[in-house]
Amino acid sequence: MLLFFILGLLVHFVFFASIFDIYFTSPLVHGMTPQFTPLPPPARRLVLFVADGLRADALYELDEDGNSRAPFIRNIIVHEGSWGVSHTRVPTESRPGHVALIAGFYEDVSAVAKGWKENPVEFDSLFNESKYTWSWGSPDILPMFAKGASGDHVYTHSYSAEREDFGARDATKLDTWVFDNVKDFFHAARNNQSLFSKINEEKIVFFLHLLGIDTNGHAHRPYSREYKDNIKKVDDGVKEIVSIFKHFYGNDGKTTFIFTSDHGMTNWGSHGAGHPSETLTPLVTWGAGIKYPQRVSAQQFDDTFLKEWKLENWKRLDVNQADIAPLMASLIGVPFPLNSVGTLPVDYLNNTDLFKAESMFTNAVQILEQFKVKMTQKKEVTLSFFFTPFKLLSDSKQLNILGKARSYIKQQKYDESISLCKELIHLALKGLSYYHTYDRFFLGINVVTGFVGWTSYVSLSIIKSHSNLTRGVSKEVKKPSHLLPCSFVAIGILVVFFLLIQACPWTYYVYCLLPVPIWYAVLREFRVIQDLVASLLTFPPSHFVGYLLAFTLGIEVLVLSFFYRYMLTAGLIAFASWPFFTRLWTQAKIASLSWTFFSLLLAVFPLMPVVGRKPDISLVMGAGLLVLLLSLFVITSLIKRKDNFVNEELLVHLLQMLSTVLSMLVVYSTHSSLLRKQGLPLLNQIVSWTILASSLVVPLLSPTILFQRLFSILLSLMSTYLLLSTGYEALFPLVLSCLMFAWIYMEQETLQQSVVSHRQKLTSIEFSCNMDITQFRQLYLDDIRRAFFLVFFLVTAFFGTGNIASINSFDLASVYCFLTVFNPFMMGALMMWKILIPFVLVMCAFEAVQLTTQLSSKSLFLIVLVISDIMALHFFFLVKDEGSWLDIGTSISHYVIVMSMTIFLVFLNGLAQLLTTKELKLCGKSKSHLI
C-alpha cells in the first residue's frame, strides 16, 4: 500500500509539473544584437515615477467638490504633456508590473518561486542599457534590476523592509522617505565633483518607487481617506521633485518625466488578478520629446471614463504596459531592452517624422531579432522533416517588409514605413508565441495518455482488490506471454531514441516515458478487464446507464463549481433532500433533519460575496460566542453522560475555550489598534502565534473517542481560524463541522440498510492507530457516493467562502493578528493554512466515516483519486492560452488547484490520522486504543 501511494504521488507530481513545462516556461531568449535609433535623442535624462498600487480612476477622477486629488498632475495633462491608460497583464503584482515597465516583457510564472523579488532568469532592462541609473524606494523592487545589470552603474537606495508595515500609523512616510532622499541626493551632488559629473551625463535614468499608496490600499482600501490623501501627498512630492530637477539643470529642457503605476487595486484592497480596477493604471508623460496636450472634440473608447474624469476634450493615448519601455529607450537614445516585446507608442513623441519612423524601424528589428533566435533554437533541436516553420513570416517576407520600410523612409513616406513596421512587429510577436508553444500539443498528448492510463490502472486496482465485481467469473491461469513486456520495452527504446536525436530537455523524457509503464500495468490486467466486461453485461442496461449518467452529472457539477460557486449551493440543496429518497427518513428522523438543516445552512455560504470585500469583526465575535456556547453544551452533556469524566479531560476543554476567548480578544484588540493606526501590539502577536502553534497539539490531549476527539479538533482549529478571519467566513468551519457530524451519523445509519451486519454505537467507537483489518469489507456502489461526498465537501471547503483560483480573493487583513510587515512567503503560508483548516476538518470527518462504515482507507481513497483525476483531466483540456488574461490565469489556476488537492489529500490524510489516533497524556506516556 505504501509503495502504491508513493507511486501515485510521483505520478501526480509529474502531471502537476507538466503544466509548468507546457504553459509556464520562460519566454526569454538570449543572443540578440542591441538595437538603437541612429538619431540624436530629445532628452539627456529620464525621471520615472511609479506609484505602486495606484488605480487610473483614483488619479484621474475628481472628488466630491469637483477638484482633482492630484492638481499638479492634472495641470500637466491639461497644459504640458500627454496622458492615457496603461493596460497591465495578469498577474497584477509589483514585480511583473515593474518588469513590464522597465524591461518591456511580461514576467513568466517561474518568478513566483522567488516571490517576484529576485531574477529567476536573467533579462535586459532600460536600467542596464542606461549609462547610469539611480533608484530610490522599496527593498523588494530595486535590487532585482541592480542584480541583473552588467557592470556597476545601477545605484539603489532603499529603506528597511520593516517600514513596509500595513499597520503603521502613516504609510505615506514610505513616499516621504523617497522624496527626502532624492532632495538630499541633489544637495550632496553639488559638493561631490564625481557625482556631479555623473548626473550631468546623457542617457541617465532616475527611478522613484512610491509604495505608500499600495500599502494604504491594502490596509485601508482604495476608497479610504488614507489612500486618497496619499495620492495628494505623492502629487505634492512629484511637483517638488520636478522643481528640483528644473532648478538643478537650469531649465535646459532635456529632462523627460514619466508618471505611472505597476498595477491597480480592487475595492477590497487586493490585486493579482484581471479585474479592470487592477489592470487599468495611469500614464502621464511630459518634458523633452513628449507631445503637448491635444484638444479634441470627440474620442472613441469602449468605456465611459473620459466623461467621468472630465477629460473628454484632451486626447487620451492608451498603451500596453510593456510599450512604456521602448518609449523611454527612444527618448534618451539607449538600445531597446533586448527582451522587450513592447510596441513604441509614437503618438507620445514630439519629434520629427524621420525620428518616429527610424525609432519604429529599430523597434521592429529588435523584436524580429528575438523571433529569429527563437526560430533558430527550435530548428536546431527538431528533425528537419518534423519542423514546421511559422508560415506567416518567412525569411523572404521579413526581408521584403524591412526593405520596403527602409525604402519608404528614404522616400520620406514616414507614415507608410511606421505602418509596415507595426505589421512586422505584430507578425514577429505571433511567431514568438508560435515557437514558444511549439511543443505544447506534443507534450499535451503525452500527459493526457499518461493521465488516462493512470486513471484506468487505479480503477482496475479497485475492481480487482476491493470489490466483488469480478468474483464468480471463471479465471483461467495462463502462462505469461513475453510479447507484452517486449513490445513495451521496444516502445520505450523508440521514444528515448526519438528524444535523443532532437536534444530534448530531460523533462520531456519523463512526460513521454511515463505512459509506457503505466499502460503496460493496465494491459497486464487484461483478464480483469475481460471479467469486468462480462460482469457489466449481466447488469440491466437501464441501471448501468442510470449509474453512468449520475456519475457523469456529479463530476460535471464539481467541475462547474470551480467557475460558478452557486453550483455548490445547488449540490448542497440536492444533498439536503437525500434522506427523503431513502429509508433513512423513517429510520433516523433527528439525524436526517440535522443533515438537511446543516446542508441548507452551508448552502448559503457560496451565495455570499467573496471573503474580504466587506470585513465585519462583529461576525467574527459572533462565531466565537457560538463556539463557546457549543463548548459549554458539549461539556455539560459529557459530564451528565459520563461518571468518569476526569479532571484531565475537563482541563483540556477549558484550555480550548480559553484559546477561543483569547482569539476573540486578540481579533478585537488588533482591529481597534489598527483603526487607531497604532500598529500590531506585540502581546497580540505573541498570543496569536502561540494559539497557532498549540492548535495541532492540544487535540492530542483529548480522548480518542470519536465524538470527543473530533470536537476537540474543531475547537483548536476554530481558535486559529478566528484569528485569520475578517467577516462571515468565521462561521463557515463551524457550520461545515456540524454538517460533518451529521454526515458521520447518517453514514452510520446507512449500515442498517446495507449487508454489513456488525454495527457499533458511535459513542463506543474510538480512533485507533492499530486498525483490525479483519473488520474491513469489500466496496459496494454506495461507497462511490461516499467518495463523491468527500470530494464535494473538499471543493466546498475550498470555494465555500471565496474563489481561490483568483489571487485577489486573498485579503491581507486576514493575517494582521500575526504580522503586518510585508512578508509574501509568511503571509502566503498563513493564508494557505486558513484555506486548509476546513480541508482538515473534512478529512478528520472522513476518517470517522471510514471507521464507522468499516472501510479501509485505501479503498475509499482510490475512488476519490479516480474522481479527482477525471476532474483534473477536464481542467487540463480547459486550460486556455488565448482570450483575456483573466481567463487564461483562471483556467491554469483550476488545473493547479485540482492537482494540488490530489497531492495534498495524501498529506492531509496523514495529518487527519495523526490528529484522530494519537493521544498525549498530560502526565505519563501516550497511549493508543484498540477497537
Side-chain angles (χ1 to χ4, degrees):
M1 178 177 171
L2 181 62
L3 184 63
F4 185 88
F5 278 128
I6 292 172
L7 177 64
L9 269 178
L10 287 173
V11 168
H12 282 87
F13 270 123
V14 170
F15 292 154
F16 178 81
S18 69
I19 202 74
F20 293 94
D21 254 336
I22 296 172
Y23 291 97
F24 286 166
T25 51
S26 173
L28 301 186
V29 289
H30 300 284
M32 291 79 68
T33 308
Q35 304 290 328
F36 57 91
T37 308
L39 293 173
R44 290 176 60 86
R45 68 200 71 90
L46 180 136
V47 185
L48 173 63
F49 301 95
V50 177
D52 204 305
L54 177 60
R55 291 160 48 147
D57 58 346
L59 179 75
Y60 292 140
E61 69 186 6
L62 303 178
D63 62 19
E64 300 78 11
D65 302 321
N67 299 318
S68 173
R69 295 190 190 99
F72 175 73
I73 291 174
R74 183 84 175 193
N75 183 68
I76 294 290
I77 293 170
V78 176
H79 295 108
E80 287 189 47
S82 295
W83 75 285
V85 172
S86 169
H87 297 261
T88 71
R89 284 190 184 180
V90 174
T92 45
E93 297 288 347
S94 289
R95 177 187 165 112
H98 281 89
V99 169
L101 284 169
I102 298 164
F105 73 92
Y106 298 104
E107 188 86 277
D108 65 282
V109 139
S110 63
V112 168
K114 294 199 175 182
W116 284 310
K117 285 187 177 184
E118 297 193 6
N119 298 348
V121 288
E122 293 301 320
F123 58 84
D124 191 23
S125 71
L126 176 79
F127 296 172
N128 188 44
E129 295 292 355
S130 68
K131 191 157 191 179
Y132 296 108
T133 292
W134 289 271
S135 56
W136 297 265
S138 166
D140 297 329
I141 298 299
L142 305 188
M144 69 183 185
F145 293 104
K147 184 178 177 182
S150 56
D152 186 21
H153 65 280
V154 179
Y155 305 101
T156 62
H157 308 272
S158 56
Y159 38 75
S160 64
E162 287 71 28
R163 283 178 174 262
E164 298 177 21
D165 189 346
F166 297 118
R169 182 182 290 275
D170 185 9
T172 60
K173 287 183 178 178
L174 297 174
D175 299 338
T176 306
W177 184 96
V178 171
F179 294 134
D180 289 345
N181 273 264
V182 174
K183 285 184 276 184
D184 293 343
F185 172 81
F186 277 99
H187 180 72
R190 294 186 182 278
N191 304 314
N192 185 327
Q193 189 56 45
S194 172
L195 180 59
F196 186 83
S197 62
K198 282 182 181 178
I199 62 176
N200 276 286
E201 295 273 6
E202 59 181 15
K203 305 182 192 312
I204 61 173
V205 178
F206 299 91
F207 170 43
L208 284 71
H209 176 242
L210 309 167
L211 189 62
I213 292 173
D214 184 72
T215 307
N216 270 318
H218 284 307
H220 306 289
R221 310 293 186 261
Y223 49 78
S224 65
R225 181 181 159 191
E226 289 83 359
Y227 185 88
K228 293 172 181 176
D229 286 350
N230 204 152
I231 295 173
K232 177 70 172 72
K233 201 98 168 182
V234 165
D235 184 67
D236 292 339
V238 170
K239 180 180 179 181
E240 193 174 2
I241 296 301
V242 170
S243 174
I244 287 170
F245 268 87
K246 287 182 177 178
H247 178 68
F248 188 89
Y249 290 107
N251 272 322
D252 64 353
K254 291 293 183 180
T255 309
T256 303
F257 299 94
I258 292 183
F259 181 89
T260 186
S261 173
D262 54 346
H263 56 75
M265 188 172 285
T266 61
N267 287 337
W268 52 97
S270 64
H271 54 82
H275 191 274
S277 61
E278 300 166 89
T279 60
L280 303 182
T281 59
L283 174 62
V284 182
T285 63
W286 68 100
I290 298 294
K291 262 189 186 172
Y292 290 105
Q294 302 169 70
R295 289 191 71 93
V296 289
S297 55
Q299 300 184 73
Q300 294 296 321
F301 284 95
D302 294 332
D303 52 59
T304 59
F305 293 139
L306 285 170
K307 195 173 182 181
E308 293 169 14
W309 299 339
K310 303 287 189 291
L311 288 169
E312 54 263 60
N313 294 324
W314 303 100
K315 190 168 183 181
R316 169 180 156 188
L317 302 168
D318 283 13
V319 300
N320 290 319
Q321 195 172 47
D323 299 343
I324 298 172
L327 173 65
M328 294 190 292
S330 68
L331 286 166
I332 56 173
V334 298
F336 288 26
L338 292 174
N339 302 113
S340 171
V341 294
T343 304
L344 176 67
V346 289
D347 290 338
Y348 272 87
L349 295 176
N350 179 24
N351 213 314
T352 62
D353 289 340
L354 172 61
F355 181 85
K356 292 177 186 178
E358 284 287 1
S359 297
M360 203 70 203
F361 186 85
T362 303
N363 191 188
V365 171
Q366 171 258 326
I367 292 177
L368 185 62
E369 279 280 310
Q370 295 180 70
F371 169 79
K372 287 178 177 178
V373 171
K374 194 81 173 177
M375 182 182 69
T376 303
Q377 287 178 353
K378 186 51 61 183
K379 199 171 184 179
E380 285 174 352
V381 296
T382 308
L383 293 172
S384 57
F385 52 87
F386 279 128
F387 182 70
T388 309
F390 181 62
K391 293 183 173 62
L392 296 178
L393 194 56
S394 60
D395 291 347
S396 58
K397 188 161 187 177
Q398 294 172 34
L399 293 171
N400 183 37
I401 293 175
L402 288 172
K404 273 188 180 179
R406 178 52 67 195
S407 174
Y408 282 142
I409 291 173
K410 287 179 180 176
Q411 297 170 32
Q412 298 185 4
K413 295 180 179 178
Y414 302 119
D415 289 341
E416 289 87 342
S417 175
I418 289 171
S419 179
L420 263 182
C421 289
K422 284 183 177 178
E423 181 192 344
L424 181 57
I425 288 171
H426 174 70
L427 290 172
L429 290 175
K430 282 185 75 173
L432 269 173
S433 176
Y434 172 81
Y435 287 118
H436 181 57
T437 60
Y438 190 84
D439 293 329
R440 187 170 291 178
F441 180 75
F442 169 70
L443 292 175
I445 288 291
N446 281 283
V447 170
V448 169
T449 306
F451 241 126
V452 174
W454 171 255
T455 308
S456 304
Y457 176 66
V458 175
S459 302
L460 289 172
S461 297
I462 295 169
I463 292 162
K464 182 181 178 181
S465 305
H466 301 280
S467 77
N468 294 316
L469 203 58
T470 58
R471 303 290 168 90
V473 180
S474 61
K475 296 184 181 179
E476 298 174 15
V477 180
K478 280 191 173 183
K479 190 178 179 182
S481 169
H482 294 292
L483 179 62
L484 189 65
C486 290
S487 301
F488 276 90
V489 167
I491 291 169
I493 291 170
L494 284 173
V495 169
V496 169
F497 180 72
F498 176 76
L499 296 174
L500 269 173
I501 57 176
Q502 295 203 108
C504 291
W506 68 269
T507 50
Y508 282 39
Y509 289 84
V510 177
Y511 305 137
C512 296
L513 288 173
L514 185 64
V516 177
I518 289 176
W519 276 103
Y520 170 67
V522 170
L523 294 180
R524 272 189 67 190
E525 305 296 341
F526 180 68
R527 298 297 304 170
V528 179
I529 298 170
Q530 278 187 319
D531 293 349
L532 173 63
V533 172
S535 297
L536 291 177
L537 290 175
T538 63
F539 255 58
S542 57
H543 285 197
F544 177 74
V545 172
Y547 286 132
L548 189 63
L549 284 174
F551 184 78
T552 305
L553 180 64
I555 294 290
E556 292 306 316
V557 168
L558 287 170
V559 170
L560 285 171
S561 67
F562 278 65
F563 298 95
Y564 312 104
R565 287 173 61 216
Y566 60 77
M567 291 302 296
L568 295 173
T569 299
L572 287 166
I573 291 171
F575 282 9
S577 63
W578 169 48
F580 303 106
F581 292 97
T582 64
R583 285 178 290 172
L584 287 169
W585 171 245
T586 55
Q587 284 180 2
K589 280 190 168 60
I590 295 175
S592 297
L593 284 172
S594 300
W595 166 266
T596 301
F597 174 74
F598 288 116
S599 292
L600 293 174
L601 193 58
L602 194 66
V604 174
F605 285 91
L607 297 176
M608 299 183 77
V610 170
V611 167
R613 307 204 176 175
K614 292 183 180 177
D616 189 345
I617 296 302
S618 61
L619 288 174
V620 182
M621 297 294 105
L625 286 173
L626 283 175
V627 171
L628 290 175
L629 289 172
L630 187 62
S631 302
L632 286 172
F633 173 75
V634 170
I635 290 173
T636 307
S637 301
L638 288 172
I639 291 173
K640 285 180 181 178
R641 189 182 301 168
K642 291 176 65 176
D643 297 329
N644 60 339
F645 190 69
V646 295
N647 291 335
E648 190 178 299
E649 294 175 30
L650 182 62
L651 184 63
V652 171
H653 282 294
L654 290 175
L655 183 64
Q656 290 178 317
M657 289 177 69
L658 178 63
S659 290
T660 304
V661 172
L662 285 173
S663 293
M664 293 168 65
L665 290 173
V666 167
V667 168
Y668 182 79
S669 170
T670 302
H671 181 69
S672 301
S673 180
L674 292 177
L675 280 180
R676 295 192 302 269
K677 298 184 181 177
Q678 293 177 349
L680 172 62
L682 179 61
L683 180 62
N684 289 16
Q685 196 172 14
I686 293 169
V687 171
S688 297
W689 284 106
T690 304
I691 291 172
L692 174 64
S694 65
S695 62
L696 294 176
V697 178
V698 175
L700 305 182
L701 298 172
S702 63
T704 54
I705 297 167
L706 187 144
F707 177 79
Q708 286 179 245
R709 176 54 66 94
L710 289 180
F711 187 71
S712 181
I713 292 168
L714 168 64
L715 286 185
S716 284
L717 294 180
M718 271 303 295
S719 299
T720 304
Y721 202 85
L722 289 173
L723 292 170
L724 293 166
S725 298
T726 60
Y728 76 87
E729 83 271 22
L731 296 162
F732 180 73
L734 192 58
V735 177
L736 179 66
S737 293
C738 291
L739 182 59
M740 292 299 97
F741 283 121
W743 183 31
I744 294 165
Y745 276 99
M746 292 292 283
E747 293 296 356
Q748 177 78 349
E749 291 297 331
T750 58
L751 288 181
Q752 288 189 342
Q753 299 180 32
S754 70
V755 296
V756 179
S757 56
H758 179 65
R759 178 174 176 262
Q760 289 180 287
K761 290 183 179 179
L762 282 175
T763 51
S764 66
I765 297 177
E766 295 187 20
F767 290 109
S768 171
C769 297
N770 305 303
M771 298 296 183
D772 183 1
I773 59 170
T774 59
Q775 291 189 0
F776 292 155
R777 59 177 176 82
Q778 293 294 310
L779 289 170
Y780 299 102
L781 278 174
D782 204 36
D783 294 318
I784 298 176
R785 174 193 56 75
R786 290 186 179 96
F788 177 78
F789 273 22
L790 171 67
V791 177
F792 190 91
F793 288 138
L794 290 174
V795 174
T796 305
F798 267 109
F799 293 105
T801 58
N803 176 18
I804 68 162
S806 173
I807 297 174
N808 72 16
S809 288
F810 296 117
D811 182 16
L812 286 177
S814 298
V815 303
Y816 286 172
C817 289
F818 294 88
L819 74 164
T820 53
V821 175
F822 182 64
N823 185 324
F825 286 112
M826 188 63 72
M827 288 177 163
L830 286 167
M831 287 189 282
M832 186 57 68
W833 180 236
K834 179 184 178 180
I835 290 166
L836 291 178
I837 284 174
F839 208 142
V840 173
L841 292 171
V842 172
M843 288 304 296
C844 288
F846 185 56
E847 282 291 309
V849 167
Q850 289 179 131
L851 194 60
T852 57
T853 54
Q854 299 162 18
L855 272 170
S856 72
S857 58
K858 181 184 177 184
S859 56
L860 262 187
F861 184 80
L862 288 178
I863 301 176
V864 170
L865 204 60
V866 170
I867 294 171
S868 301
D869 285 344
I870 293 171
M871 287 172 62
L873 199 55
H874 264 73
F875 288 119
F876 188 85
F877 285 116
L878 291 173
V879 168
K880 296 180 180 178
D881 61 347
E882 293 180 350
S884 76
W885 282 95
L886 177 59
D887 292 340
I888 294 168
T890 303
S891 68
I892 294 172
S893 297
H894 285 156
Y895 177 76
V896 170
I897 287 167
V898 175
M899 291 306 300
S900 301
M901 189 171 80
T902 308
I903 294 167
F904 269 124
L905 213 55
V906 178
F907 294 109
L908 288 179
N909 190 47
L911 178 60
Q913 284 185 0
L914 175 72
L915 285 172
T916 53
T917 59
K918 292 289 181 183
E919 185 178 8
L920 299 175
K921 303 296 286 182
L922 288 174
C923 301
K925 295 180 180 178
S926 65
K927 66 175 183 178
S928 300
H929 293 269
L930 292 175
I931 294 177

